Amino acid sequence: MNLTKLYLEKKFEEYYSRNDLALPTRYKNREFAFVPLELLPDFVMLRHISFKSYEDFKTYVLSKVPAHIYFSSAYYEKPDEAKMEDKGWIGADLIFDIDADHLPVKTQSLDKALELSKREVKKLVAVLRSDFGIRDMNIYFSGGRGYHVHIHDDEFLGLGSGERREIVDYLTLNSPKIVEDGRLLESNAARRVVNYMRRKLDEDEALSRKLKIKPKEFRRDRLTKKAVKAIEKFREEAERVLRIHIDAPVTADVKRLIRLPGSLHGKTGLRVTEVWDIDEFNPLKDAVAFGDEEVVLRVNKRINLKIGDMNTKIYPGRIKLPEYAAIFLICRGIAVYEGMA
Amino acid sequence: MKYLPLLPLLTRYPFLRLSSRVFTFDVAKGLEASPDAIEVAKEIVSHAIDGKIYRDRYVEEADFFCVGCDGRCYDCSEKGSFVNCDLCMKCFENCSYDYPEDIYREWYRKAELSLLSHISSRMIVSALDDWVRMRYAVNESSYYAELMRNDVGLKKPEIKKQDGDVVLRLIALDIGVKLKGWDVHVSTYVKASSRIRDERWRLVNRKLKDGFVETAKAEVIRIIEEMLRAKLFEKVPVIPSIQPAVKELSRKAAREAKRFSFDLGEVDLKCLPPCMKEILSELQRGMNVPHTARFALTSFLLNIGMDVEGIITLFKSAPDFDEEKTRYQVEHIAGERGKGSEYTSPSCDTMRTYQNCVWDCGVSHPLIYYKKCKSKRK
């Protein structure tokens, strides 16, 4: 095994021996899955594993240090059965995944990507609270390029895939009806689209000219033909802005594997971290799991390194960096380990 | 008198879970003692096979006594409204209403018979083919929905029952529809709406606040109907004493099945629905097609009878074609590798959710579009 991998394995093992993870509720009924660090770069997933106690879990993790740990959103009678149909599905948490890779604006910068993801999380949480009346939810930074929202509410546990897709369509504003028989539909979606349009018309005279309608002429209670035309022209843009960009298959899948809170993301070395205050949360600081002892690396690419307290340009060659930054670069495949400083 | 107000109700709506709290009996012995019950059950199923509803069953029109009764049978927060009610049954057990003994007995007996025929009809369809159980579930739930609409006066306002609304709330509670006023909790709502093919029912076209979807009374009944349909489609354990009925009806079902069987015939790519055409053309142009779209097309082509080799040949023209990878994926969906499970291609709703729908064809499933086109071209 090469030195870099040995170093990483040692560090991950240290992390898991020093930190006690809080296993999810009803963990005995859940399936766990691991990608062993040892076999990287091959991504081998060991699945259908279940645990009777926290000690069993910890022993397992320390014996096969994993690069990634997942657990099932679903509860099963027999989570360790190898065939999905033999597991005996009981129910599943409602899960939302917001990942920068699924946002319309693409960016290379992790920092920027996380900022965009955060905006979507705030939109999501607001709608889940006001429209769905959900108070009890947990938000996690995924350790990668996004966030997960877990809902354990019993009301939603038993929903099947088609039923969850109704929720997805609602959140992603998937082809809503806005106008019917010349009247505004009585729906949250229609109201949101029209309110947004109204606001934009007030702010932006050019838009008003383009849509050929003055803000004054645009009344929700009495839609004129002119207004209907303007809505048809503008709705696509409004829907794009108002849509919440969740990754649809994740929510619709009732047997999804998701990253375990508290575990490390093998492609960044960051911790899957619970977010208490989304405004205050800084993923690239708050999810750092390692210390600042200095390490020597060989970097193979020029990048802007922004993590922890560092915000600097890094160039190819030998460099001394604090452990947390070193692990971040190694995990991302940008550097190899050369030794202790 | 114990359970008195429930008896007429259970005669009309024997599917209520409440009935198992009032009656405990051995179904086999019950049927032996009342052969009439199985005859009614047979009629119900026989009609369902023909796509009809059998109406000549046990009914009792008497009112739900609790409405208008002053008795304080149990300490409930709001009597008769079933707000915060957990169906503990205490009030019904302590019912102090007095009624002639012989009528009470007759009602008890009727409710029992109604329940017996309901249970045995479910057993019979559980022993028959899936499509019979499906027709049964559709017909039975629509029969009960009609009763409910009558009760609350939606059909003819002049025959609205005074107790209609209360009875409807009790049924909703029993079947698991969470209500606030007549608004339905979103978790219940989506269970029904995901099965109803109508734009107006999609959650995205609804008013939703604090977890409740704004719904009207008629819609609440529709939701109960959908949930009931799902419930009645579930199989129940079958007992030996209904075997003669099963045998008789399975012959009838076999005759009916012959009438609607059809063959998709030769694969005809000209009949692909617009969504599938779009995905195929994107694949052939080497565009980056999402996994959900690849899955949809592959399972669709398998469903219409194409074999793995045929599909791989079809994908070959793509500039980034990777035979090994493609073969692995196609075979997995076909079920030759994987776990032996073959998939049905996604419905239009699913296609829409994953943004793979490109046209409003007026069908609910891409396969229906294909079938319609094939039969037109014949």
Side-chain angles (χ1 to χ4, degrees):
Chain A
M1 205 194 278
N2 70 45
L3 199 60
T4 303
K5 213 151 96 176
L6 271 176
Y7 169 71
L8 206 58
E9 205 172 325
K10 190 182 117 214
K11 283 293 146 189
F12 272 45
E13 186 184 348
E14 249 173 51
Y15 172 83
Y16 285 116
S17 75
R18 279 179 198 163
N19 293 280
D20 274 328
L21 273 54
L23 291 184
T25 53
R26 301 189 221 189
Y27 70 88
K28 290 176 190 165
N29 290 102
R30 301 194 196 243
E31 175 193 351
F32 285 79
F34 300 85
V35 174
L37 216 158
E38 196 188 340
L39 301 176
L40 291 181
D42 287 337
F43 193 91
V44 177
M45 193 186 267
L46 308 172
R47 289 195 56 178
H48 315 301
I49 297 161
S50 75
F51 299 104
K52 294 267 175 290
S53 69
Y54 179 73
E55 288 66 36
D56 287 358
F57 168 81
K58 187 145 185 167
T59 312
Y60 185 97
V61 169
L62 292 177
S63 69
K64 289 193 184 68
V65 181
H68 307 272
I69 309 182
Y70 305 89
F71 75 106
S72 64
S73 62
Y75 314 112
Y76 303 103
E77 309 266 3
K78 297 178 203 151
D80 50 356
E81 286 287 337
K83 287 187 178 176
M84 295 313 279
E85 53 270 35
D86 294 339
K87 285 185 191 288
W89 189 85
I90 300 170
D93 299 333
L94 189 58
I95 303 281
F96 298 98
D97 176 26
I98 286 170
D99 189 306
D101 296 335
H102 290 101
L103 299 182
V105 188
K106 303 285 177 220
T107 168
Q108 283 299 311
S109 144
L110 182 61
D111 190 32
K112 184 91 184 296
L114 286 169
E115 206 42 56
L116 291 170
S117 300
K118 199 189 226 185
R119 240 172 31 206
E120 294 299 313
V121 173
K122 284 160 87 170
K123 269 158 69 182
L124 174 66
V125 168
V127 172
L128 288 178
R129 284 218 176 98
S130 67
D131 296 6
F132 288 80
I134 295 170
R135 298 275 173 275
D136 189 12
M137 55 183 130
N138 302 89
I139 306 167
Y140 299 96
F141 165 55
S142 74
R145 290 163 65 80
Y147 292 86
H148 299 157
V149 176
H150 298 200
I151 289 150
H152 305 282
D153 197 326
D154 281 347
E155 303 277 0
F156 298 95
L157 282 191
L159 296 187
S161 194
E163 294 148 13
R164 288 170 201 241
R165 270 200 302 275
E166 280 278 287
I167 298 174
V168 170
D169 284 352
Y170 182 90
L171 295 169
T172 56
L173 231 55
N174 192 350
S175 39
K177 240 189 176 30
I178 309 291
V179 179
E180 193 177 47
D181 304 329
R183 284 175 47 196
L184 201 62
L185 199 74
E186 290 236 357
S187 72
N188 290 13
R191 182 173 47 83
R192 286 203 169 111
V193 166
V194 170
N195 283 355
Y196 177 76
M197 186 166 158
R198 176 79 216 228
R199 212 167 63 229
K200 284 284 147 186
L201 278 176
D202 284 337
E203 284 169 9
D204 184 356
E205 261 177 64
L207 180 71
S208 172
R209 275 195 302 278
K210 195 178 135 206
L211 296 177
K212 298 190 183 104
I213 192 163
K214 293 193 191 83
K216 263 193 297 188
E217 297 171 303
F218 189 72
R219 286 184 48 184
R220 277 183 305 184
D221 47 346
R222 279 189 47 200
L223 281 189
T224 55
K225 282 213 174 101
K226 224 171 166 184
V228 174
K229 255 194 192 150
I231 290 174
E232 284 312 320
K233 248 195 210 159
F234 187 70
R235 62 176 286 180
E236 208 168 304
E237 189 188 326
E239 282 164 30
R240 197 170 54 239
V241 174
L242 297 169
R243 173 172 299 144
I244 300 170
H245 296 272
I246 53 173
D247 185 11
V250 174
T251 301
D253 189 347
V254 295
K255 293 167 182 171
R256 194 77 180 188
L257 290 172
I258 20 177
R259 281 187 189 280
L260 183 69
S263 69
L264 298 172
H265 190 305
K267 281 187 178 155
T268 59
L270 292 171
R271 188 200 308 121
V272 182
T273 309
E274 172 145 24
V275 178
W276 297 100
D277 180 343
I278 186 80
D279 290 309
E280 294 295 311
F281 186 73
N282 180 345
L284 296 179
K285 275 195 175 143
D286 298 338
V288 166
F290 294 98
D292 44 19
E293 199 179 333
E294 290 211 312
V295 177
V296 182
L297 295 177
R298 176 165 298 278
V299 173
N300 55 36
K301 200 173 138 194
R302 201 193 82 140
I303 68 148
N304 289 323
L305 177 67
K306 188 170 175 193
I307 185 155
D309 298 324
M310 305 200 63
N311 187 2
T312 171
K313 273 201 171 66
I314 303 270
Y315 298 92
R318 267 170 70 99
I319 187 174
K320 244 192 266 173
L321 283 176
E323 187 178 87
Y324 66 83
I327 290 172
F328 179 69
L329 291 177
I330 291 171
C331 287
R332 297 186 70 190
I334 290 167
V336 292
Y337 178 73
E338 293 234 315
M340 301 298 285
Chain B
M1 292 171 113
K2 202 176 178 185
Y3 300 132
L4 174 75
L6 281 181
L7 298 176
L9 196 70
L10 292 178
T11 310
R12 290 159 66 73
Y13 301 107
F15 60 83
L16 292 176
R17 273 182 290 200
L18 280 177
S19 59
S20 68
R21 313 271 285 273
V22 176
F23 296 99
T24 40
F25 52 70
D26 184 323
V27 180
K29 277 185 195 146
L31 286 176
E32 214 172 289
S34 325
D36 281 4
I38 198 136
E39 288 308 316
V40 173
K42 268 161 68 181
E43 285 298 337
I44 291 174
V45 177
S46 171
H47 276 68
I49 291 174
D50 292 333
K52 290 181 192 137
I53 293 172
Y54 182 67
R55 287 167 204 283
D56 187 15
R57 24 180 131 183
Y58 305 100
V59 281
E60 178 51 66
E61 295 295 336
D63 286 333
F64 185 58
F65 287 109
C66 301
V67 178
C69 168
D70 299 328
R72 288 209 64 85
C73 310
Y74 189 68
D75 188 22
C76 287
S77 51
E78 260 184 86
K79 194 169 146 262
S81 69
F82 300 110
V83 173
N84 299 325
C85 172
D86 62 353
L87 288 181
C88 75
M89 302 290 283
K90 286 281 190 334
C91 57
F92 299 124
E93 279 168 24
N94 297 338
C95 173
S96 54
Y97 204 83
D98 237 350
Y99 220 64
E101 181 77 27
D102 50 335
I103 295 182
Y104 177 81
R105 274 225 204 94
E106 190 199 317
W107 282 359
Y108 190 91
R109 177 79 186 132
K110 253 199 210 168
E112 194 180 37
L113 284 171
S114 181
L115 180 60
L116 259 178
S117 64
H118 173 71
I119 294 176
S120 33
S121 70
R122 286 197 67 184
M123 285 182 176
I124 295 171
V125 294
S126 297
L128 294 170
D129 285 344
D130 287 355
W131 70 265
V132 178
R133 208 168 67 253
M134 180 56 88
R135 278 195 186 180
Y136 165 84
V138 169
N139 284 331
E140 287 298 283
S141 53
S142 93
Y143 167 78
Y144 292 121
E146 194 184 293
L147 281 190
M148 285 176 234
R149 276 192 293 272
N150 278 333
D151 280 3
V152 297
L154 281 167
K155 265 260 170 92
K156 289 185 197 138
E158 64 274 17
I159 59 161
K160 175 180 163 56
K161 286 188 151 194
Q162 188 205 348
D163 57 2
D165 287 359
V166 177
V167 168
L168 185 56
R169 283 191 192 283
L170 181 61
I171 296 172
L173 184 64
D174 183 274
I175 204 139
V177 176
K178 198 171 158 190
L179 288 175
K180 190 163 100 184
W182 291 111
D183 292 350
V184 172
H185 192 264
V186 59
S187 61
T188 325
Y189 181 85
V190 294
K191 278 185 193 155
S193 70
S194 59
R195 296 181 177 89
I196 300 174
R197 315 237 165 276
D198 182 344
E199 279 288 318
R200 287 290 292 130
W201 277 90
R202 294 181 63 214
L203 185 64
V204 71
N205 290 329
R206 285 293 176 148
K207 228 174 177 174
L208 172 60
K209 196 178 174 235
D210 256 336
F212 285 86
V213 181
E214 202 175 278
T215 40
K217 215 189 287 177
E219 290 174 323
V220 172
I221 295 179
R222 181 73 202 275
I223 290 168
I224 294 174
E225 182 181 350
E226 284 303 318
M227 302 209 23
L228 188 56
R229 189 163 65 91
K231 180 181 152 160
L232 295 178
F233 185 63
E234 283 167 22
K235 281 188 177 183
V236 296
V238 173
I239 57 166
S241 49
I242 60 143
Q243 276 312 326
V246 171
K247 235 186 200 162
E248 195 184 319
L249 287 159
S250 73
R251 275 197 297 272
K252 182 179 172 138
R255 280 199 300 278
E256 174 69 14
K258 259 197 205 132
R259 286 188 35 223
F260 65 83
S261 68
F262 52 84
D263 191 4
L264 279 175
E266 291 283 298
V267 173
D268 184 351
L269 290 181
K270 290 205 180 70
C271 277
L272 288 189
C275 51
M276 299 297 166
K277 274 191 189 137
E278 176 73 19
I279 300 168
L280 183 59
S281 104
E282 283 181 356
L283 273 175
Q284 290 177 334
R285 277 180 285 151
M287 286 171 68
N288 185 19
V289 175
H291 175 72
T292 52
R294 282 171 201 268
F295 173 81
L297 178 62
T298 308
S299 56
F300 182 87
L301 293 172
L302 288 164
N303 288 161
I304 64 171
M306 218 175 204
D307 60 8
V308 173
E309 291 311 317
I311 294 172
I312 291 171
T313 317
L314 203 58
F315 292 171
K316 252 185 193 153
S317 58
D320 60 344
F321 178 73
D322 175 343
E323 170 141 5
E324 200 190 330
K325 210 166 132 191
T326 307
R327 179 175 300 277
Y328 176 82
Q329 286 170 348
V330 175
E331 283 183 355
H332 174 78
I333 297 170
E336 284 172 26
R337 278 193 194 172
K339 297 187 181 79
S341 53
E342 209 182 306
Y343 302 90
T344 306
S345 74
S347 68
C348 294
D349 284 348
T350 311
M351 295 292 286
R352 214 181 351 251
T353 300
Y354 298 141
Q355 328 255 323
N356 294 328
C357 172
V358 296
W359 198 258
D360 186 6
C361 318
V363 294
S364 60
H365 201 290
L367 282 171
I368 296 180
Y369 180 98
Y370 179 79
K371 270 181 206 166
K372 277 191 177 165
C373 167
K374 285 269 310 194
S375 62
K376 247 187 239 161
R377 285 167 65 92
K378 250 182 206 163

